[in-house]
Amino acid sequence: MLDVNNTTYYTLNEVRDSFDCSKDGLWLPLISEFTWHPYARTAVYLIGLLWCFMGVAILADVFMCSIEKITSKTRIITIASTSKAGTEEIEIRVWNDTVANLTLMALGSSAPEILLSIIEIVGNNFNAGELGPSTIVGSAAFNLLVITAVCVVVIDSSEVRVIKSVKVFFITAFSCIFAYIWLIVILVAITPDFVDIWEAVITLLFFPILVLIAYVADKDFCSKAQKISNSMELGFDDAQTKLLDKYKHLWKDGKVDKNLIAQILKEIGKSHHLSDEDKARLAAARIAEEQKKSRGWYRVNASRKLFGGKSLAPRLNPQLSEVYDDMKAKDTVISDQGSAYHGSLVDLSDKGRIAVLEFTASSVAVLEREQKCKVGIRRYGKKDNQVAFRLETIDGSATAGEDYIPVKQTLAFQPGQTYIEYVVEIIDDNVYEPDETFFIKMALEPEQEALLGKKSINMITIINDDEPGTLEFAHPSFVFKESVGKALVAVNRVNGADGRIQVSWKTEDMTAINGRDFEGGEGVLVFEHGEIAKAIEIPIYDDQDAEKDEHFKVTLSDPTDGAQLGSKVKTIVTIVNDEDYQGIVSRLVNLTSLNIDALKVDSASYAQQFENAMNVNGGDLESATSFDYLMHFLTFGWKIIFAIVPPVHFCGGWLTFICALIMMIFMTIIVGDLASIFGCLCGLEKPITAITFVALGTSLPDLFASKQAAEMEATADNSVGNVTGSNSVNVFLGLGLPWSVAAVYHYVKSGSAFYVPAGALAFSVLLYAIFAVVCLGLLIFRHYVFPKGELGGATWFKWVTFTIMVVMWLLYIIVSSLQVDGKITSPF
């Protein structure tokens, strides 16, 4: 400040420091906000904070892509085999899943919180800050209580999700409590309000110790009854050696296996007429669902779905979604030989240790006149125990008491029993009605050592047989190979099956000629009483000549005895020679491979990276919603900026990792400044701002990722099993690293210890530890007592679990805030 001729002049720094909250940021504010209205400043900083949270989430997407690339690295090894060559090459993962989840994956999902703690201390001349540590504790509370609560409740009541790697979960669960109790010990008991070098270093060393112990538990090194196998002799776990064994039939020479595509397309073609592009997209969706997914995959996909980015899972329009659901209902699984068989996509029985109950089919049909519908129920997995379950019918278009006798009954599988046939009574009312449906649902009785399989609900269709029915082709077109011998053109009888009826059919030449390419003409198709499906047999001639596709038309006419014709009375039959058929399959293989490539986390080039960034849904406009367009508009700038980061295929993902980490540091500084100034303008103390706005903003992508993992995975490991590990890593790395550096700095500079006031931090940590014990105790109860799974189960109990966990989180926020404001006295 200078006085010249009775005029006072202020320097730029004095002006900058003369308005409220001007010293709370490391970089911000960039300009003088002296003349701004306080409300306007608050609004600007709030909007800026929310917008930067979006940017952090998008950058975390890039960061996680690099980690996914790094941790998915494989290598080829040669082992002895029984083949003629005597050896076999197998592909194994370099990274163990547990190690990857506790190191790079945890760092990727928690990078903003960890970096915020580090940057705050460095920017504060190596003095302790309040925002970073409180954000770590607040995020831990949100992750454990809220994310777990949401994952519990999103699973259908007829299903449960169980943590498979129980040993690893118990270790990380203990660690996520111990880590925070350790903070109380060093801040309150050993050296109150100070952290010595040895305390900080031990905190940091707990990180590799946790990884090592979890790895030993995952590999089961300490098991007395260790199973010796070739993989263990080589030093690899089963998950590594089976990586390619499980999925090798999906790929050949970098492309989708042709036999696999042929089988999937055959399944699709049985009941649906779709374009080649739609078939390829369905095949890609089917293959993508069977591939193993990591925690990073769910995090990246959740972020992209939230902000209108390029999805890692196929987005199907309503029509294709209906077809896909129909495919899944049939539970078609791809075998190693490329053939299809029926069964569950995953073994829910945990290698025979748990009994699994399900219907033998997801839907059945019955003629009304039969008055009985037989429903098969099977049990697989554990078979030496008794399992009680309930059956209950639910109305669809059919009404209980009018169309069928309602069911509400308890049955039981006796030890050794694997199949039960249950009969549902159908009411034959002799009144014409269209085909109607109802459902029969299976549910386990309480305290059963069993799970429900994928087919726990069965749809029963009552086919009306009081009218002669309506006749029509099954499809508007059919394709047959030239070598098929006979083309079976399916004709369906719907909305009635009463009496014996006939319908005339006639072929009409198009590019295919009767007598040269096929044996056509005309004839009569007869449906006996109760028959609902027949086929017109048309011989096809194989002339062994290379020809283009040839077509002829078949038409239905003149139904008898009151029957009617439906909408599909004409169909086109296409004859392709075997070479053409193989060409069709090859084309669909290429299309499917393109769809699969589009789902990869890495982009092939900078050009593709920028193209994906500039287009909503990465260019998939067909499935884009209004919300996708809105979020793409709001985050467009961030997407373009972060597209500068090198694609992940450079240097095995490490170059992307380093560049994204550097950008994340800058983003974290900005978020920390925005949060500090916003909290100051609102009159909030930094710990309150940290456990509310900052913790929620950095943890929301994890919420959506865990929800998606819970819904898509057969186990709970990728949804809630990894939360405990991340919470531990946040303390050991997010506090252990900066505290170690700061403790050494203060010791070298002044010979003193690093000052960290316990106060609000210790109180917040104590609250979290108490609620964490209750939460984990509840999960253990759910695992071992009822409903035998961490997620899902009985409706009433999963909502009770949800309520308890959310209430604990709200109490954590309220009580911690009251303590910071001085309304509650901290014991520390």
Side-chain angles (χ1 to χ4, degrees), residues 755-825:
Y755 176 66
V756 182
L761 177 60
F763 186 82
S764 177
V765 167
L766 178 62
L767 278 180
Y768 163 81
I770 293 171
F771 291 144
V773 169
V774 177
C775 176
L776 293 172
L778 185 54
L779 288 179
I780 293 172
F781 176 86
R782 290 179 59 88
H783 183 92
Y784 287 104
V785 182
F786 179 79
K788 301 289 185 178
E790 284 78 7
L791 311 181
T795 302
W796 70 270
F797 192 59
K798 71 179 184 180
W799 281 106
V800 167
T801 304
F802 175 86
T803 303
I804 291 173
M805 292 182 178
V806 172
V807 167
M808 286 194 295
W809 178 70
L810 292 174
L811 285 175
Y812 165 79
I813 296 294
I814 294 171
V815 176
S816 295
S817 300
L818 291 175
Q819 188 276 325
V820 172
D821 281 340
K823 304 296 191 298
I824 296 177
T825 303

Side-chain angles (χ1 to χ4, degrees), residues 478-709:
F478 294 84
V479 177
F480 297 100
K481 290 192 294 183
E482 194 175 42
S483 60
V484 72
K486 286 186 179 181
L488 301 180
V489 183
V491 179
N492 291 337
R493 181 185 190 182
V494 298
N495 295 331
D498 185 40
R500 184 178 188 272
I501 61 172
Q502 299 179 359
V503 64
S504 298
W505 60 268
K506 181 180 180 180
T507 63
E508 179 181 338
D509 291 354
M510 297 175 70
T511 57
I513 306 301
N514 181 17
R516 186 191 73 184
D517 301 305
F518 68 98
E519 185 179 323
E522 56 186 57
V524 175
L525 193 63
V526 179
F527 285 81
E528 298 294 343
H529 177 70
E531 289 184 335
I532 57 174
K534 297 294 284 287
I536 301 171
E537 296 184 4
I538 302 176
I540 303 296
Y541 298 145
D542 187 357
D543 54 18
Q544 303 296 323
D545 291 333
E547 317 174 278
K548 294 182 179 180
D549 296 352
E550 298 172 317
H551 318 277
F552 65 91
K553 184 187 298 183
V554 185
T555 305
L556 298 178
S557 63
D558 304 323
T560 64
D561 299 304
Q564 298 179 348
L565 293 176
S567 58
K568 295 190 284 287
V569 297
K570 296 182 180 181
T571 189
I572 303 296
V573 177
T574 301
I575 306 171
V576 297
N577 61 46
D578 289 0
E579 290 79 10
D580 288 341
Y581 180 78
Q582 292 302 323
I584 292 173
V585 173
S586 296
R587 178 172 180 269
L588 290 172
V589 166
N590 292 331
L591 286 172
T592 304
S593 296
L594 288 174
N595 277 278
I596 292 291
D597 289 341
L599 302 178
K600 292 181 179 179
V601 298
D602 57 324
S603 298
S605 65
Y606 260 122
Q608 276 191 341
Q609 197 158 281
F610 276 97
E611 182 181 349
N612 292 335
M614 289 188 288
N615 290 284
V616 64
N617 282 359
D620 184 12
L621 304 181
E622 181 183 353
S623 58
T625 64
S626 300
F627 181 77
D628 291 332
Y629 278 101
L630 173 63
M631 297 308 295
H632 180 68
F633 172 77
L634 293 176
T635 59
F636 181 80
W638 292 123
K639 291 179 180 179
I640 296 298
I641 292 172
F642 299 138
I644 299 172
V645 176
V648 299
H649 65 267
F650 290 143
C651 304
W654 284 106
L655 182 59
T656 308
F657 179 87
I658 294 170
C659 293
L661 183 61
I662 293 172
M663 284 191 168
M664 185 66 77
I665 292 173
F666 291 119
M667 287 296 299
T668 304
I669 293 173
I670 296 172
V671 167
D673 286 1
L674 289 169
S676 297
I677 297 174
F678 171 73
C680 176
L681 292 171
C682 293
L684 298 175
E685 298 290 339
K686 284 188 177 181
I688 300 177
T689 305
I691 65 174
T692 52
F693 291 97
V694 183
L696 263 67
T698 56
S699 299
L700 276 178
D702 287 317
L703 171 63
F704 291 107
S706 293
K707 175 181 176 294
Q708 189 179 56

